[in-house]
Amino acid sequence: MPAQKALPVVVGISGASGSAMARRTIDRLLEMEVPVVATCSSAARQVWQEEMEQPFRDVLETWLEHPLFTYYPIGDLIAPLASGTYATRGMVVVPCSMATVAAVAHGLVTNLLHRAADVCIKERRRLVLVPRETPLSPIHLENLLTLARLGVTVLSPEPAFYLRPKSVDDIVEFVVERALVAVGVLPAMSDKLTYHPRSE
Ligand SMILES: Cc1cc2nc3c(=O)[nH]c(=O)nc-3n(C[C@H](O)[C@H](O)[C@H](O)COP(=O)(O)O)c2cc1C
């Protein structure tokens, strides 16, 4: 059995707003020398183009220079992570669109990201979704509830206003930290991101 640290974390990037969270999640994992296996939907690439300064393909090229980073195209349904026999630590879908939430909640596998999430559920591995949409319709809420009842962590990217974030980067950092705690890579929140009442 490989050591836990040697097992990869799967990162799925779907087409919700919040490309910066995807970027920071992968950067943070690689900084910690945690192997990453990633895939990214076509919609996610389009949203990335709207939200980020650096094109996705340039960032992907930089990630691919890291020996612990592996990337599979979204249509590659014979990639290793499409099988439960490929051991992983779990998966973070960040950001997670409502379309992907619906597909995963109903076991509809139309791409590699859906399949990798489906594998996490069937193998009872940690699956953390960072869904982003507002307002949420009853359809979104029912799908999220279905997933939460299956043991999936639904970690919406809400700022902790009481930590007084000074920038979008602060909010991104907080959400990514929480997602990495939820997937079991970080033992707990760092002191910087922990609530210390000012009245103490
Ligand atoms: C600029 C932009 C922002 C979007 N933001 C969201 C979002 O926050 N949440 C969401 O569920 N869909 C959002 N969408 C729509 C999704 O990209 C779309 O539903 C897509 O089919 C999702 O596919 P995927 O889940 O395969 O990535 C956005 C689309 C665009 C172009």
Side-chain angles (χ1 to χ4, degrees):
M1 178 103 168
Q4 268 298 92
K5 195 169 178 184
L7 288 178
V9 171
V10 181
V11 178
I13 310 174
S14 74
S17 182
S19 313
M21 298 187 297
R23 181 173 187 169
R24 185 63 193 134
T25 300
I26 293 176
D27 284 345
R28 179 87 164 94
L29 285 166
L30 294 177
E31 280 166 23
M32 291 188 292
E33 301 283 309
V34 175
V36 174
V37 181
T39 190
C40 176
S41 75
S42 330
R45 282 172 178 256
Q46 285 172 335
V47 175
W48 185 293
Q49 197 177 320
E50 298 300 321
E51 296 187 340
M52 304 291 277
E53 295 298 325
Q54 224 182 338
F56 180 77
R57 64 167 187 283
D58 291 2
V59 176
L60 181 59
E61 265 175 34
T62 311
W63 283 333
L64 285 167
E65 285 166 15
H66 198 293
L68 296 178
F69 181 82
T70 311
Y71 181 81
Y72 294 102
I74 193 75
D76 185 359
L77 279 161
I78 56 164
L81 66 156
S83 168
T85 58
Y86 179 73
T88 72
R89 236 171 138 148
M91 178 173 186
V92 183
V93 185
V94 58
C96 187
S97 74
M98 289 303 122
T100 289
V101 164
V104 177
H106 296 280
L108 297 170
V109 172
T110 62
N111 65 35
L112 181 61
L113 194 163
H114 301 160
R115 174 60 186 166
D118 204 45
V119 165
C120 282
I121 294 171
K122 84 181 175 79
E123 300 294 334
R124 303 189 188 284
R125 294 180 191 146
R126 291 187 195 213
L127 175 59
V128 180
L129 307 184
V130 185
R132 192 270 155 206
E133 185 53 285
T134 194
L136 291 163
S137 76
I139 297 172
H140 303 148
L141 291 165
E142 280 184 3
N143 287 337
L144 289 167
L145 181 59
T146 298
L147 290 165
R149 285 192 169 135
L150 291 170
V152 173
T153 301
V154 176
L155 199 148
S156 51
E158 320 287 359
F161 292 105
Y162 49 86
L163 294 178
R164 302 194 187 181
K166 293 193 174 42
S167 63
V168 174
D169 283 352
D170 284 354
I171 295 169
V172 167
E173 197 64 24
F174 175 75
V175 172
V176 169
E177 190 90 353
R178 294 220 76 171
L180 296 185
V181 171
V183 83
V185 166
L186 288 175
M189 296 287 286
S190 69
D191 195 50
K192 198 175 68 168
L193 301 176
T194 301
Y195 172 51
H196 298 292
R198 283 161 206 270
S199 49
E200 265 181 4

